[in-house]
Amino acid sequence: MTLHARVGLRLGALELDVAIEADSGKTVVVLGPNGAGKSTLLRAIAGLVPLETGRIELDGDVLDDPDEGVWVATEDRRIGVVFQDLLLFPHLSAVENIAFGLRAHGVRRGAARVEAHAWLDRLGISDHAASRPTMLSGGQAQKVALARSLALRPRLLLLDEPLAALDVTSRVDVRRELRRQLDGFDGARIVVTHDPVEAVALADQVVVIEGGRVRQAGPVSELRARPRSRYVADFAGVNLYSGVIRGDRLRTDDGNELTVVNDVGIDGPSFAIVHPEAVAVYPSAPIGSPRNTWPGTVGEIDRDGRRVRVRVDAPMPITAEITERAAAELGLRAGSEVWVSVKATEVEIFPV
Amino acid sequence: MTRVLVIAVAMLTSAAAMLPASASPRVAVPTGDITIAAASSLTEAFGAIGKGFRSKYRKTSVTFNFGSSATLETQLEQGAPGDVFASADTSTMDSLHGAGGLRGRPVLFARNRLAIAVEPGNPKQIRTLADTIADDVRVVLCAPQVPCGKYALEAYRKAGVDVPTVPTGLTAKDTLSKVSLGEADAAVVYVTDVEAAAADVDGVRIPAADNVIARYPIAVVADSANPATARAFVQYVLSRGGQATLGRFGFLPP
Amino acid sequence: MAAVRASTRRRVDAGRIPAPARVLAAVALAFFVLPVVGLLWRAPWSELWGQLSDPVTRDALRVSMICSLGATALSIVFGVPLAWLLARAEFPGRRVARACVLLPMILPPVVGGVALFLAFGRRGIVGQYLDDWFGLRLPFTTFGAIVAETFVAMPFLVITVEAGLRGLDRRYEDAAATLGASRWTSFRRVTLPLAAPSLAAGAALAWARALGEFGATVTFAGNFQGKTQTMPLAIFLAFESRPESAILLSLVLVAVSLVVLASLRDRWLRL
C-alpha cells in the first residue's frame, strides 16, 4: 500500500505545491507551522478538496488527476481520517459511531455492532460503549475516533493534529497509546502536527511544510542534524543563521558577522548552524582564541535535568547549553549581563 | 304618495328648524368634526350626502366609519368615538338604544331591498331565487350573522326555496365582490349594492312578495362630543336633499 | 439579621436578573396572560356545552385542524428542501429568493390572500388554466384554505430549518464521507438527525401560524362553513352577532393550542 501524491491547489491565500509519499507500515509526519497547508494537504488526499494540478495515486489506483479527468469521490477512496476535532457524531453513542462506517458499507446492524464492540474491547473502553461523545474524556473520544476509521480497514490512515484537543497531562499517555495503535496498523499512515515533540514521538519520516511547500523531508535524525529552515532548526533545538558567505566571513541577513572556517569553499547565500552545546557563556568579555564573541542579556533560562539552556538576547541572539553547575557559578538570572563566544570551528556552514 | 309626504315633512322640519333663529337671539351654525358610523351598504350614498352636508355647512368636517352594523354597534357600545349611527337593521339600533347608547330616539331614514347580483349578461339565465340553487350555479350569500345574510335566508324562506350550505361573504360588499371577481355566479345582496357596482354586475329583481325590506334607522350617539352638529347631520339625511341622494343610489324612502 | 436572611431566601431562582429587568418581564408576562384571563372571566360557562354541540363550532374546529395540519405537512414537504437549498447551495439570485420566501412574514396576510387570489382565483394567472383544463378551483375549497395557510406558515419553517442547517458543522458530512457514506446516506443518518430539533421547532411554528390565520384564508379561500370556515373566521363572525359565542369559541381555540404547545417539550423548541 503506497501513496504517491503530488498536490497542487490554491485555497484562499494559500498556494499548496507538495509531493508526498507514504508506505505501508510507516508513519509519515507532516510538520509545519499553522497555516502552512498541512490540513489542506490531508483534505486533498482524502478527496474533500479537489486538486488543481497534480496526481494522487494509492496502491496503483488513481484517485485524482485533473489532467486526465480522473476523480474518485471521498466515500469510495477507502482512506480513513481522524479529524482535528474528532467529529464524532454527537447524536450517536460510541459503539454506534464505530459501527457507522460498517453500516454505510452495507453490513447488517447486528454484525456491525458486534464488530464495534470488539474494537471497544481492543482499546479498553468497553465501559463507555453506550456513552455519547460529550460524555467521553479526550483520550476516550480519541480512541473511538480512531476505531471508527480503523474498523473499515482503510488502506491509508490520515490523522489531523490528533493530540491537539487534549490537555497537556493526557497528551503524553494518549501519544504513547496512539504510537502503539499506529504501529499495529499495517496500512500507510500520515499524521499532521505542528508540535515537534509529537513528530519525534510518532514519526518514521518527517515532511516539513512551510508556506505551502515542502521545506525538508527525511528521517528525524537527518532533520535534527541538518535543519534547513529556522522552523526546522527550532524543532531540532539548534541556532540557525542565514546569510551570505564571502571568504571566511558569514554576513547574516540582519547585518551581523560570524567568522567561519570555510573548508568547502562556499561562496554566496548559505546557512550557519551553531549547536547550543558549542556556545560558551562568560560573565565578562573573554580573552583568548574565540573569534566570535559578543555581549548580551540573559532572556529565558530553561532547566532540563542537569542541563540548562540559556537564551541570550543580543543583536545576534543565541541559545547556549551549559551545565547546572556552571549556571550556578555564574549566578545566572534573567537580565544578567553576559558574554557569549563561539569558536569558528564550531560553526557548521552549508549552502542554501 | 309616501314620497310627497316625506318631502312635506322634511320641508316642515327645516322650516321649524329655522324658526328658533328668529325667535331666539342666536342659533349656532353647525361646526366642528363629526364621525358617522354607518352600515357598509350606505358607503356610496353617504359619501355623496357627506359632500352635500359639507358644502352646506362649510365649517364642518365629516368622517365616515363604514362597517357591518353589528360590529359598529359593539364598538359604539364599548365607547368607540362616534357621533351618529346609521344602521342597516333595526335590531342593532335597538340593541344600542337598550344599552343607553343613544341620545334621543332613532328615526327611520331609508329602506332597502334585496336583489340577486349576477355576472354581466346573466350567462346562467338566473331569473328567480330558485334558479340560484341549481346545480350549475354557484351562489354566495352574506354570512348569516350579518343583517344582509339574515334577510337573504328570510327571502328564500318566503319563496319556499330550501337553500343548502353555501359560501358566504363577511359583508354585503364582500359577498358581491365574489360575483364581480368571477368566483360566483350569483349573490343575494342589497339593491343598492347592485346599483353601486352597476359596471361589474347585472341585477335580477326579487318579487316584492318574496323580498325582504331592510329598515335603516339613524340616531345621534349618546357620547357624541358634538351633538348639535350630529343632529344637523341627521336632519340633513332626512331632508329633501338627503332623501333625493339616497333615492339616486337605489334606496327606498323610509 | 440572620432571621431576615433566612426568610428571604426563596425557592424561586431569579437567576441574578436585576430588579428593573424583572419588573419589565413581569409586565410583559401580564400582557400575555391578561387576555386569556379576560376570556376566562367573561365566558358564559353555562352555554359551553351548547356551543360545543353547535354544528358551526364542530365544523370550524374540524376545518381548522385539517387545514392547519395540512398546511404544516405541505410546509415540511416543500419547505425542508427549500431550506436546504438556501442554506447550502450557491446560486445567483439566492438573496432575492430568500427575500421572496420571507415576504409573507412581513406582509399583512390579507395582501397574501389577494396575491394568491390574483394567481389562483378563477380568473387568475394560473387559476384560469386550472379551471379550464382540470376543473380545479381553489377558492371556497378546503384545499384552497390549506394553500392560503401554507403561504403564510411555510416561511416560518423555512427560516428555522435554514438556520438549523447553517448552524450544522458541515464537517460531520465530511466525516461521514470518509467513512464511506453516500450523499443520501450522509443526509439521512447525519444531517437530518442533527437538524431534527430545528425541524421540530419550525413545524411547531408553522402549525401555530396556520391555525391562527385569518386574512389570507378569508380573502382567498372565502368563508364556507364546513369547508373553509376555520375557527378564526367563525370567531370573527360570532363576534358580529353574539359576542358570548365568540368568547367561548376563542377559549376553545386557546385550549386546543395550549394543549399542543405544552406537549412540545422545551428542548424541541430550542433552535
Side-chain angles (χ1 to χ4, degrees):
Chain A
M1 276 157 263
T2 318
L3 170 80
H4 297 287
R6 269 183 300 121
V7 174
L9 60 88
R10 180 177 289 134
L11 202 67
L14 173 72
E15 244 187 73
L16 196 60
D17 183 9
V18 169
I20 188 169
E21 322 245 310
D23 279 314
S24 4
K26 291 254 183 342
T27 304
V28 174
V29 172
V30 175
L31 178 68
N34 289 323
K38 319 185 291 295
S39 293
T40 311
L41 174 64
L42 278 197
R43 288 175 69 86
I45 297 173
L48 296 169
V49 165
L51 294 181
E52 282 170 28
T53 59
R55 185 181 164 99
I56 297 179
E57 196 186 301
L58 179 60
D59 244 9
D61 296 328
V62 179
L63 300 179
D64 192 350
D65 190 335
D67 293 329
E68 297 193 6
V70 179
W71 163 261
V72 175
T74 306
E75 49 265 32
D76 299 319
R77 290 194 182 195
R78 276 193 62 209
I79 296 178
V81 181
V82 177
F83 291 88
Q84 190 165 1
D85 299 333
L86 302 182
L87 297 182
L88 292 176
F89 301 124
H91 61 293
L92 299 177
S93 67
V95 69
E96 283 167 344
N97 260 283
I98 298 174
F100 183 89
L102 293 165
R103 290 189 60 194
H105 279 91
V107 176
R108 294 266 275 287
R109 196 162 177 195
R113 283 183 80 93
V114 165
E115 176 133 2
H117 274 293
W119 275 102
L120 288 165
D121 278 334
R122 216 170 289 153
L123 294 168
I125 44 172
S126 314
D127 293 342
H128 301 275
S131 308
R132 289 282 161 91
T134 44
M135 302 201 281
L136 299 171
S137 73
Q140 291 160 350
Q142 224 245 22
K143 287 184 181 174
V144 175
L146 195 57
R148 186 172 71 167
S149 298
L150 289 177
L152 294 167
R153 309 202 194 292
R155 313 185 267 184
L156 169 65
L157 188 63
L158 305 174
L159 298 99
D160 193 352
E161 309 262 10
L163 305 174
L166 299 171
D167 60 83
V168 179
T169 40
S170 4
R171 211 172 282 187
V172 178
D173 293 322
V174 178
R175 188 169 59 225
R176 205 174 299 139
E177 178 62 39
L178 184 60
R179 172 99 212 195
R180 216 162 54 79
Q181 289 300 326
L182 291 181
D183 286 342
F185 174 64
D186 52 9
R189 288 97 63 176
I190 302 181
V191 178
V192 156
T193 182
H194 66 275
D195 181 0
V197 179
E198 224 169 280
V200 173
L202 300 171
D204 295 313
Q205 289 269 47
V206 178
V207 175
V208 180
I209 295 190
E210 279 182 78
R213 281 171 171 63
V214 175
R215 196 52 93 114
Q216 196 167 357
V220 174
S221 48
E222 189 184 305
L223 261 68
R224 297 204 77 166
R226 327 208 102 227
R228 281 220 213 115
S229 75
R230 165 137 278 141
Y231 179 77
V232 185
D234 283 345
F235 152 65
V238 299
N239 295 300
L240 180 104
Y241 307 100
S242 79
V244 174
I245 289 188
R246 297 261 184 262
D248 52 6
R249 288 207 125 56
L250 167 76
R251 187 177 204 84
T252 65
D253 295 333
D254 37 22
N256 298 297
E257 268 205 359
L258 274 180
T259 308
V260 300
V261 177
N262 196 349
D263 294 343
V264 218
I266 299 173
D267 193 80
S270 40
F271 285 112
I273 287 203
V274 177
H275 288 271
E277 302 93 69
V279 180
V281 180
Y282 297 93
S284 54
I287 38 174
S289 62
R291 298 290 103 197
N292 300 309
T293 59
W294 62 88
T297 331
V298 172
E300 267 177 44
I301 303 181
D302 210 352
R303 280 161 220 278
D304 180 18
R306 285 287 177 73
R307 296 167 200 274
V308 177
R309 289 171 77 87
V310 183
R311 175 133 194 100
V312 177
D313 297 321
M316 193 143 154
I318 195 161
T319 300
E321 196 173 292
I322 59 179
T323 62
E324 205 183 19
R325 194 164 168 178
E329 275 171 15
L330 287 169
L332 287 184
R333 56 179 55 79
S336 310
E337 306 277 349
V338 295
W339 279 76
V340 295
S341 96
V342 180
K343 289 183 175 167
T345 47
E346 298 276 23
V347 181
E348 286 178 39
I349 50 174
F350 43 95
V352 164
Chain B
M1 185 59 198
T2 343
R3 226 188 191 102
V4 175
L5 215 58
V6 167
I7 295 173
V9 168
M11 288 176 80
L12 281 172
T13 328
S14 351
M18 282 192 268
L19 278 174
S22 46
S24 55
R26 215 186 122 98
V27 150
V29 171
T31 61
D33 310 324
I34 50 169
T35 305
I36 318 292
S40 343
S41 45
L42 292 161
T43 308
E44 291 82 10
F46 265 33
I49 285 182
K51 283 205 190 92
F53 184 77
R54 269 196 304 280
S55 55
K56 183 166 179 192
Y57 300 113
R58 298 214 174 252
K59 292 209 184 132
T60 61
S61 97
V62 181
T63 316
F64 288 104
N65 180 12
F66 292 112
S68 86
S69 309
T71 310
L72 292 172
E73 192 267 318
T74 310
Q75 288 172 352
L76 290 169
E77 207 181 313
Q78 300 291 334
D83 301 284
V84 176
F85 181 36
S87 108
D89 69 346
T90 48
S91 59
T92 45
M93 184 63 81
D94 290 341
S95 193
L96 190 60
H97 193 27
L102 299 182
R103 183 186 286 260
R105 319 194 86 162
V107 176
L108 289 176
F109 70 97
R111 282 178 304 156
N112 208 345
R113 292 159 302 165
L114 298 178
I116 307 174
V118 293
E119 290 185 287
N122 199 354
K124 294 274 171 91
Q125 303 291 319
I126 296 168
R127 307 252 179 267
T128 64
L129 282 174
D131 289 340
T132 63
I133 60 162
D135 284 335
D136 64 331
V137 174
R138 286 163 312 153
V139 64
V140 290
L141 305 176
C142 300
Q145 291 89 345
V146 302
C148 155
K150 294 193 193 94
Y151 294 146
L153 291 174
E154 209 187 305
Y156 276 101
R157 210 170 24 246
K158 284 166 99 167
V161 177
D162 242 333
V163 59
T165 313
V166 291
T168 57
L170 299 178
T171 64
K173 298 232 181 283
D174 181 29
T175 311
L176 181 79
S177 72
K178 302 294 183 216
V179 173
S180 49
L181 290 170
E183 290 304 326
D185 304 310
V188 177
V189 290
Y190 295 117
V191 163
T192 50
D193 294 319
V194 175
E195 306 252 331
D200 301 318
V201 298
D202 282 354
V204 173
R205 266 193 80 243
I206 298 177
D210 303 333
N211 215 329
V212 175
I213 303 291
R215 295 189 153 72
Y216 285 56
I218 189 168
V220 174
V221 174
D223 292 336
S224 168
N226 195 346
T229 310
R231 228 183 336 259
F233 185 85
V234 172
Q235 312 288 35
Y236 185 79
V237 168
L238 294 168
S239 72
R240 187 168 66 161
Q243 290 293 300
T245 310
L246 285 164
R248 240 192 2 257
F249 283 89
F251 285 93
L252 294 176
Chain C
M1 218 50 201
V4 173
R5 284 262 175 78
S7 67
T8 55
R9 193 179 309 146
R10 315 200 55 203
R11 297 202 71 199
V12 172
D13 177 13
R16 310 208 68 179
I17 299 172
R22 274 187 267 157
V23 169
L24 288 172
V27 170
L29 192 62
F31 184 57
F32 289 110
V33 171
L34 274 175
V36 181
V37 170
L39 282 174
L40 290 167
W41 189 272
R42 284 288 167 90
W45 295 105
S46 53
E47 299 174 24
L48 183 62
W49 185 246
Q51 185 67 56
L52 289 175
S53 334
D54 187 347
V56 171
T57 312
R58 294 204 168 159
D59 281 343
L61 257 181
R62 198 188 72 243
V63 171
S64 265
M65 281 299 124
I66 294 174
C67 292
S68 60
L69 290 172
T72 309
L74 279 182
S75 298
I76 293 176
V77 168
F78 290 99
V80 170
L82 180 59
W84 197 16
L85 200 74
L86 289 173
R88 293 293 170 84
E90 304 274 338
F91 58 91
R94 186 168 74 158
R95 285 228 195 103
V96 175
R98 192 196 277 118
C100 285
V101 169
L102 294 185
L103 216 49
M105 285 170 84
I106 311 170
L107 290 177
V110 167
V111 175
V114 169
L116 283 171
F117 190 80
L118 293 172
F120 297 106
R122 209 183 107 198
R123 295 199 196 134
I125 310 170
V126 176
Q128 53 181 322
Y129 298 112
L130 287 177
D131 187 26
D132 290 341
W133 298 348
F134 307 108
L136 186 69
R137 293 232 188 82
L138 290 178
F140 297 137
T141 60
T142 309
F143 186 60
I146 293 178
V147 167
E149 290 187 8
T150 307
F151 187 77
V152 297
M154 179 150 51
F156 286 89
L157 184 137
V158 171
I159 206 97
T160 311
V161 174
E162 191 200 336
L165 285 173
R166 264 178 201 279
L168 273 188
D169 199 334
R170 291 178 78 160
R171 297 180 304 155
Y172 286 121
E173 288 156 27
D174 288 345
T178 64
L179 294 167
S182 66
R183 284 253 189 95
W184 171 241
T185 307
S186 174
F187 179 72
R188 202 171 39 93
R189 295 201 58 209
V190 178
T191 317
L192 261 191
L194 288 176
S198 67
L199 180 57
L205 281 175
W207 174 79
R209 181 67 190 86
L211 189 68
E213 176 46 34
F214 177 84
T217 315
V218 76
T219 318
F220 178 56
N223 181 49
F224 195 168
Q225 183 183 334
K227 295 230 170 61
T228 72
Q229 186 178 71
T230 55
M231 283 295 274
L233 262 64
I235 293 170
F236 178 80
L237 282 170
F239 199 62
E240 302 270 317
S241 53
R242 284 198 75 235
E244 298 82 18
S245 285
I247 296 175
L248 285 171
L249 285 172
S250 304
L251 278 171
V252 171
L253 192 58
V254 167
V256 169
S257 313
L258 279 178
V259 164
V260 179
L261 285 174
S263 64
L264 286 173
R265 276 113 138 283
D266 245 344
R267 65 186 170 99
W268 293 352
L269 284 176
R270 210 183 299 136
L271 290 173

